[in-house]
Amino acid sequence: MNQLGVPAGNTPDRKVTLYRNGSIYTAADPFATAMVVDGDTVAWVGSEQAATSIADANMEIIDLHGALLAPGFVDSHVHLTETGIALEGLALDSVRSAPELLDAVAAAPGTGPVLGHGWDESTWGDRSLPTLEELDRASGGRSVYLSRIDVHSALVSSSLAEAAGLRGLDGFQGTAHVLRTAHAAARIHARTFDDGTRRTYQEKTLAEAAKNGYVALAEMAAPHICGPEDLRLAASWNASGVHPLVLPYWGELATSAEEGRQILDSLGTGVLGLAGDLNMDGSLGSRTAALSADYSDAEGNSGNLYLSVEEAAQHLAACSLLGIQGGFHVIGDAGLAAVLDALDAAASEVGEQRVRAAGHRLEHVELADAAAIERLAKHSVTVSVQPGFDAAWGKHGGLYEQRLGERSRAMNPFASFYANGVPIAFGSDSPVTPLRPWSSIRACLEHSNPEQRISARAAFLGHTRAGWRATKHRNPLMGQLVPGAPASFAVWEVEELMVQVADTRVQSWSTDPRARTPLLPALDAGTDPVCLQTVREGRELFAHESLRA
């Protein structure tokens, strides 16, 4: 150790790296320009002058050239295999009509099944969907599964419908568009492939995440999405240490603590909870999210509840008794009301303190009024939200307004969650929205409802430290760059650093050093910083060719 307590150089068992001449996002010193990593731990942060005095020939020295070094991102809701399929398969997010979609299917390379993702008829001038016959002709008889952008419905060919046994299932009406039970069956059938293919898809996702500064991903597996073998593979990547950490959840209903224990024992891998994509309801895009009043563009349809209050209460009570996180996918206000009633019932059965201690979590929670938010805070429920949803569908005339009319103004109440003490963590629900963390932060700043905008700093913390806290991680230093913390971070090429505030009543941009607030990239230009390096616990996951140039 030298006089600053920094390792003097390498030993045979560890690597010491000095990063200098940049900007370090750290609460330890908002003006820090250098950092030392000793093995898997942050050893020191400080000034450029001090860095000059501690530089050692045995260290690797990386000149940041003004780049930002910040805690690595945590995505609180992803699907590894689904994202890999979307990255490798037929991209349909840019099609704007049924004929364009059919042309894309007809041009799909290969001779096997056609897997595609991303169509969104709410952006089409003519929102008519292709028929079974049209899809069969375009595919030349190949099996077809094309997930809607929300992955709560899909277009399928007649061959896939036959092979998956969709006839007679809820959500199959003899058309190419399938929902609910029929969609789950079609999805599982389309995901029947060998382990090598599954591995390729997941590895593709992990590489994409590392390239975009993520050090951890919460995998939200569930029986209606994939089998336990998919979950086991996702968790197995952690053994190598060369990918973002996978934080595994399994969304399966448990009616008692005993059944919950049996489910956990049957998985063949550890999970953080029986939470995530255990569906209380569906999605707004597919009109399956449960609403208290009908969809504005579908009279007589108020969506679907997939679980009863009693079933949800039993699940939450079981998870509380086991001391693990329980939770649900819930989007509509009627779906949320059912979950909140279930939380009350579970607290009455096993005790409010036990429910609070379990740290249950809910995914999405897009429609929540003041009373619902107060009840969420009462039960210490963490809400995992997706800012990219509002960016994609919250604009005037967008999908939310089409489906909900004036009610869409109340959606995704990020600022209200914060103001009422509801813990929130941010994610992408990839492949629904892409693995682009800075775009997600920008979406928080530019929320379609100005009253629900939050600062860049709050959004950044929601994408980093809050992601670890949402998993009940025991190390309070996770998501920070202070001495003694795990060395998990990303390096970003940035044009300008500043403090960005969403509240239009105050100065929007400030670099006043008196605030001692760590600076973040300016995001007003609409472009994202470029990731130069991603490191998890001292191990490099990704490096841009220019990093050491």
Side-chain angles (χ1 to χ4, degrees), residues 78-79 82-84 86-87 117 147 149 151 428-434:
V78 302
H79 303 281
E82 295 278 316
T83 300
L87 290 169
H117 169 74
S147 52
I149 186 65
V151 203
S428 63
D429 196 9
S430 180
V432 179
T433 62

Side-chain angles (χ1 to χ4, degrees), residues 19 60-67 491-494 529-533 540 542-549:
Y19 293 84
E60 180 183 14
I61 299 177
I62 295 180
D63 190 330
L64 294 172
H65 297 289
V491 176
W492 301 92
E493 184 178 78
V494 293
V530 174
C531 185
L532 301 179
Q533 185 189 40
E540 187 173 82
F542 165 79
H544 193 279
E545 59 184 10
S546 66
L547 176 72
R548 295 179 174 89

Side-chain angles (χ1 to χ4, degrees), residues 157-465:
S157 63
S158 58
S159 59
L160 187 141
E162 184 67 27
L166 304 190
R167 201 167 303 277
L169 296 181
D170 175 46
F172 181 73
Q173 299 178 323
T175 69
H177 190 210
V178 295
L179 303 95
R180 299 187 293 278
T181 305
H183 173 246
R187 185 183 196 175
I188 288 294
H189 180 82
R191 303 305 184 248
T192 305
F193 33 64
D194 59 66
D195 289 344
T197 301
R198 190 185 311 277
R199 178 172 290 275
T200 297
Y201 286 138
Q202 291 195 6
E203 193 163 26
K204 180 82 172 178
T205 301
L206 292 167
E208 178 74 6
K211 188 173 70 174
N212 285 281
Y214 289 98
V215 296
L217 308 169
E219 164 67 7
M220 294 298 174
H224 68 277
I225 299 174
C226 57
E229 67 278 2
D230 201 271
L231 173 71
R232 287 192 290 270
L233 176 60
S236 73
W237 295 105
N238 291 339
S240 70
V242 297
H243 299 290
L245 186 69
V246 176
L247 305 164
Y249 285 88
W250 181 249
E252 184 171 354
L253 187 69
T255 59
S256 67
E258 181 182 0
E259 184 179 6
R261 176 52 60 194
Q262 291 172 351
I263 292 171
L264 294 172
D265 291 344
S266 71
L267 294 175
T269 188
V271 295
L272 294 171
L274 297 176
D277 270 345
L278 174 52
N279 287 354
M280 172 54 77
D281 66 354
S283 75
L284 292 170
S286 295
R287 299 189 187 87
T288 51
L291 304 179
S292 57
D294 289 352
Y295 283 86
S296 297
D297 58 356
E299 186 177 354
N301 182 2
S302 58
N304 304 93
L305 280 177
Y306 296 135
L307 298 171
S308 68
V309 171
E310 181 181 6
E311 288 173 318
Q314 290 173 339
H315 181 76
L316 291 167
C319 291
S320 299
L321 289 171
L322 291 169
I324 63 171
Q325 291 179 294
F328 308 93
H329 160 117
V330 56
I331 286 180
D333 56 347
L336 180 58
V339 171
L340 291 169
D341 288 345
L343 280 162
D344 289 342
S348 296
E349 180 181 343
V350 303
E352 186 172 314
Q353 186 56 39
R354 186 167 271 161
V355 169
R356 289 171 61 89
H360 300 309
R361 57 183 291 160
L362 299 177
E363 309 302 309
H364 315 310
V365 193
E366 293 200 78
L367 274 172
D369 61 18
I373 292 173
E374 184 177 341
R375 293 172 73 187
L376 287 168
K378 171 189 172 184
H379 292 295
S380 295
V381 174
T382 294
V383 175
S384 165
V385 295
Q386 292 70 43
F389 287 9
D390 182 77
W393 304 304
K395 298 179 180 64
H396 178 65
L399 178 132
Y400 287 162
E401 191 173 286
Q402 294 171 29
R403 296 288 191 266
L404 300 178
E406 282 300 313
R407 289 172 291 174
S408 65
R409 291 276 298 171
M411 293 192 64
N412 297 300
F414 302 156
S416 295
F417 284 142
Y418 270 120
N420 288 276
V422 175
I424 59 177
F426 294 114
S428 63
D429 196 9
S430 180
V432 179
T433 62
L435 293 163
R436 298 292 183 273
W438 294 110
S439 292
S440 187
I441 290 174
R442 184 183 300 107
C444 293
L445 287 160
E446 300 176 355
H447 196 293
S448 59
N449 180 354
E451 294 181 0
Q452 297 303 333
R453 292 172 181 169
I454 60 176
S455 70
R457 181 173 182 270
F460 182 77
L461 294 176
H463 283 81
T464 53
R465 290 177 65 182

